[in-house]
Amino acid sequence: MNSSPLSVRAGSYRTAVAAAVAALALAGCANYFGIKSDKQIAPASQFETTQSLPAEGGNWPTLDWAGQFGDPQLPKLIDEALAGNPTIAQAQARIAKASSYIESSRSSLLPKAEASYSWTRELYSGNALFPPPYGGQWYSENNVLASASWDLDLWGKNRERLHTAVSQEKAAEADMQQARITLAASVARTYNQLAQLYALRDIAQREIANRQSVGRITDGRVSAGLDTNVERQTARGNIATTQASLSDLDGQITTVRYQLAALLGKGPDRGLQIAAPVLNPGGAVALPGNLPADLVSRRPDIVAARWQVEAAMHDVKEAKAEFFPDVNLAAGFGFDAFGWGKFLNFGSRQAQFGPAIHLPIFDAGALRAQLKGRYADFDLSVANYNQALIGALNDVATQVASIRSVDRQMDDAQRALDASTHAYELAVIRYKAGLSPQLQVLSADSSRLAAEQTVTNLKMRRRDMQIALIKALGGGFDATGTRLAAPDATGAAPAQSGPQAASQPASQPAAQPAAQPASQPAAQAAN
């Protein structure tokens, strides 16, 4: 039967009214107009490093870098520390927690189903809603319902939450690599400190022998009437002073052993079992080429900071999706009846289905405040990344400059040691022959001792700096070609844009972070 013109006009009128109401509702909805960020992560090429970090044809450190120092005990200690130190266990726990967030976020993308059953025994009032014969009687009600729901995620909110979780997990993994490198370098530097104390102890032992030799010469001169008891007591005092220094070094050695045991994740007794170091001098230092650009993937702290930027970017996109309607589909089927006789009868069936739409219209600025907070987090992440990159470049440059300086000092210090040693030997010969006083021997000995300690300290300091440089260069880590490889590191924030940007479905698989290059214009990055 054809509709009358009047009914057609009425239907058109209702459609127009509904469209107008919907348009007014959408116009009055909460919006994020004007909220944006212009922060961008700095590319490595932005920083001038050609003079301080010249390409010298060197190689990047490898994961087995500790072997270059020629002491087989050092790599074993590092492996023991990496296996037992609580710092690594803490980092692994943070990764596990981040992985749980991924699983939780992924579950929100899938339909959910559940079932429920209830049994209620109830006495109905005879003077209320249900008249006799129901009123005044006891009845049992059985209710079973199977239901399912699905958040359609039309604006990608749940997908962005998943991408955030994936980025945070990768940041946690990079943090763990940074913890491993830091721990390995700490073990190596502490072991080098132990080697330094042992070297100074050897010097102290030789010095005791030298001063005892001078003391014997003094005793002979006193017996011959050439020296007095003043010179004898001075010689004995010098021997006692050196013995006190030896005892102090023994105490420091024990303390450093305890520190090494703590780094290994063991009790202090483990440190007493460590043999004396036999480290070789550090080799020549040559920087690798393309250092600023490659350092971005070689330093785990920079990789972690980049993934934090990525996570903050997805947080912003999730907050933008909150401004648009949530659409959920829900359905349920079951049985509901008094008593057991008709519980599973066809007539006791119950069913429900339909969409549920949630649209934020007025929230007193809560969503805008949330988005501003997410943008602030993004800006902070960008600043942290830029600071990490600047700090890494300066760390490498500082270590290289320090090593170059120590190398120059070593030449001068060695010449000073050679000269002071020769002067001391001549002074002892002259003193023994009665041609010079004891004071000249003691003065030459003090100069020689200071020069020998300086050379030893410079050697140990250079090796310590070389270990620090290995750490500054990433300690053998390389994210290139791995799942930790960060997105393009020249990006911008997802800026304020229209609803069409937020409505674009994510094209990446659910288990992977959004892979749009961060160097895209801000409006494109929000898509």
Side-chain angles (χ1 to χ4, degrees), residues 80-94 176 179 183 260-267:
E80 184 177 348
L82 295 178
N85 192 284
T87 302
I88 304 302
Q90 292 170 349
Q92 291 172 337
R94 285 191 287 269
M176 187 187 73
L183 178 58
L260 272 172
L263 290 173
L264 300 181
K266 304 293 177 59

Side-chain angles (χ1 to χ4, degrees), residues 298-312:
R298 295 277 184 172
R299 289 266 302 213
D301 56 339
I302 299 179
V303 174
R306 182 64 186 90
W307 280 115
Q308 290 293 356
V309 173
E310 193 73 8

Side-chain angles (χ1 to χ4, degrees), residues 42-109:
S45 58
Q46 173 180 323
F47 303 101
E48 298 179 358
T49 59
T50 53
Q51 295 183 10
S52 55
L53 299 175
E56 299 172 331
N59 298 319
W60 290 93
T62 59
L63 291 175
D64 59 349
W65 55 264
Q68 67 182 286
F69 296 107
D71 188 338
Q73 185 175 220
L74 177 57
K76 294 179 181 178
L77 292 176
I78 291 176
D79 291 340
E80 184 177 348
L82 295 178
N85 192 284
T87 302
I88 304 302
Q90 292 170 349
Q92 291 172 337
R94 285 191 287 269
I95 293 175
K97 186 175 182 179
S99 297
S100 70
Y101 291 153
I102 293 177
E103 296 176 6
S104 176
S105 300
R106 185 178 291 116
S107 67
S108 63
L109 298 177

